[in-house]
Amino acid sequence: MHGQAGLLNAHPEHYVEPPNYTGGMVETIGGHLTRFKVSIPRELPQPVGAYLDASYPVTLMNALLSLDDGTPFVFCLHQARNTETGADVVVRVIYPSAAPDSMIEGHCEHLAIEFRSWIRNAAAASR
C-alpha cells in the first residue's frame, strides 16, 4: 500500500484529510486530535540536527510538523541502517521542552503501532 492509503492504514487514529487541506494530516497525538501539515525543511535547526546519528546513513524522514497557523510543533527524524538480519531503525520525535509527558508517551505508542503496521503491510505485499 502506497501514498495516502498506506499512511491512513498504518494506524486507526489516522483520519482522512479534511477537504481542501492539502499536505496535511489529522491524527491523535498524545490523546489530542491534531491537524497538522508536514514539510521537509531544507536545513534542520542546529539543536534538532544534533540528534541525527551518522551511523544510521538511511534517512526515512526529516520533517517538520506545523499547526494550521504555521506554528512548528515537532520535528520527526527517522533513520535506518542495514544489518546482517535486516535493519536497525531509530525513530526520533523532537518536541519542545514544554510538551507534556502525556503527549510524548502517547506519540511513542502511536509510532510503535505505525511501524508495526508498515512492516506487516510490507511483508504481506511481498508474498
Side-chain angles (χ1 to χ4, degrees):
M1 218 174 267
H2 300 289
Q4 186 76 9
L7 184 61
L8 289 172
N9 190 39
H11 197 293
E13 292 180 347
H14 285 177
Y15 304 102
V16 175
E17 184 175 287
N20 303 318
Y21 192 67
T22 58
M25 184 73 193
V26 177
E27 69 181 46
T28 303
I29 298 178
H32 303 276
L33 191 60
T34 308
R35 190 168 74 177
F36 58 88
K37 292 191 178 190
V38 179
S39 62
I40 307 302
R42 288 186 181 178
E43 238 178 84
L44 295 170
Q46 190 282 327
V48 174
Y51 285 96
L52 293 172
D53 184 340
S55 70
Y56 289 82
V58 179
T59 299
L60 301 175
M61 174 187 276
N62 285 344
L64 167 63
L65 307 186
S66 300
L67 302 176
D68 279 350
D69 66 0
T71 302
F73 80 96
V74 67
F75 283 91
C76 296
L77 309 177
H78 305 337
Q79 297 178 273
R81 64 180 172 204
N82 292 328
T83 68
E84 289 182 21
T85 58
D88 286 334
V89 176
V90 176
V91 178
R92 292 181 190 88
V93 180
I94 314 301
Y95 277 100
S97 60
D101 288 344
S102 62
M103 182 170 279
I104 294 165
E105 293 300 319
H107 206 169
C108 286
E109 182 180 306
H110 184 96
L111 287 167
I113 293 167
E114 279 182 339
F115 274 81
R116 180 191 64 200
S117 295
W118 287 326
I119 291 166
R120 286 180 175 170
N121 292 342
S126 67
R127 291 185 199 150

